[in-house]
Amino acid sequence: IKGIFWLLVLAGAAGAGLTWYTALRDNVVEEQAGYELRIPRGTGFEAVVADLEGAGVLKNVEGFRLTAQVRRYVSNVKPGLYIIPAGMNNWDLVGKLRSGAQDELKLRFGSHWTLEKVAEEIGTQLMLDKETIYARMQDEGFLEKYGVTNATVRNLFVPNTYFVYWPVDEDDLFSKFKR
């Protein structure tokens, strides 16, 4: 009976050690602290892993995979911009990604002569492309919701810094400018 007791204690200690090693130990490479992980809509788990692995962010990729499976992130990937700080462990990283706790982006643009240039500068910073943004700038029906026309749409785009989420859609983006 003593032998079984110690075997169970040993197995429990090994399980706790494995859990610490795979899920709770720091897993972000120090030089990659602050890495901006951008996950577009429709991205699968393997693409997220490939991005993190390709950028050299994780010390233990298999530990990340195992933690993601345990926390059911594999089938629950959410789009967004996620800044990964130093000292983050797999449990916290998977929790951040799984919950969709995105980091805001500082969207900055200056004054430009044309709306095409404004759309281009905004499009290089967001998941939205410049063609979509420019098309909305020309769409009278869309602009009507924001109280502007083709002739006055320029007034929405005041050069400044705006805090937005990277996968913002056109409606939310134009609403942000309208404020």
Side-chain angles (χ1 to χ4, degrees), residues 49-61:
V49 172
D51 187 332
L52 291 170
E53 190 172 21
V57 174
L58 301 175
K59 296 175 189 174
N60 179 356
V61 176

Side-chain angles (χ1 to χ4, degrees), residues 15-90:
L18 181 62
T19 299
W20 174 82
Y21 182 76
T22 57
L24 302 176
R25 192 185 79 173
D26 292 354
N27 195 34
V28 175
V29 174
E30 193 67 33
E31 294 79 29
Q32 292 297 336
Y35 178 72
E36 294 184 357
L37 174 63
R38 294 170 192 258
I39 303 175
R41 284 184 190 90
T43 298
F45 174 71
E46 288 303 322
V48 172
V49 172
D51 187 332
L52 291 170
E53 190 172 21
V57 174
L58 301 175
K59 296 175 189 174
N60 179 356
V61 176
E62 290 311 312
F64 175 78
R65 283 180 189 278
L66 181 60
T67 305
Q69 288 173 343
V70 168
R71 296 204 66 189
R72 296 187 179 120
Y73 173 63
V74 175
S75 60
N76 197 16
V77 176
K78 294 190 170 110
L81 167 69
Y82 302 91
I83 299 174
I84 303 172
M88 186 168 255
N89 60 46
N90 286 330

Side-chain angles (χ1 to χ4, degrees), residues 98-110:
R98 185 175 181 270
S99 69
Q102 302 175 48
D103 293 285
E104 284 187 312
L105 172 80
K106 288 182 181 178
L107 173 63
R108 297 181 177 119
F109 62 92

Side-chain angles (χ1 to χ4, degrees), residues 88-134:
M88 186 168 255
N89 60 46
N90 286 330
W91 192 265
D92 293 339
L93 177 55
V94 169
K96 179 176 184 159
L97 299 175
R98 185 175 181 270
S99 69
Q102 302 175 48
D103 293 285
E104 284 187 312
L105 172 80
K106 288 182 181 178
L107 173 63
R108 297 181 177 119
F109 62 92
S111 58
H112 293 286
W113 287 98
T114 65
L115 288 175
E116 292 95 342
K117 287 290 185 187
V118 173
E120 183 177 328
E121 188 168 354
I122 293 171
T124 61
Q125 299 174 65
L126 299 176
M127 195 166 82
L128 286 172
D129 58 38
K130 65 182 180 182
E131 291 81 14
T132 302
I133 297 167
Y134 185 67

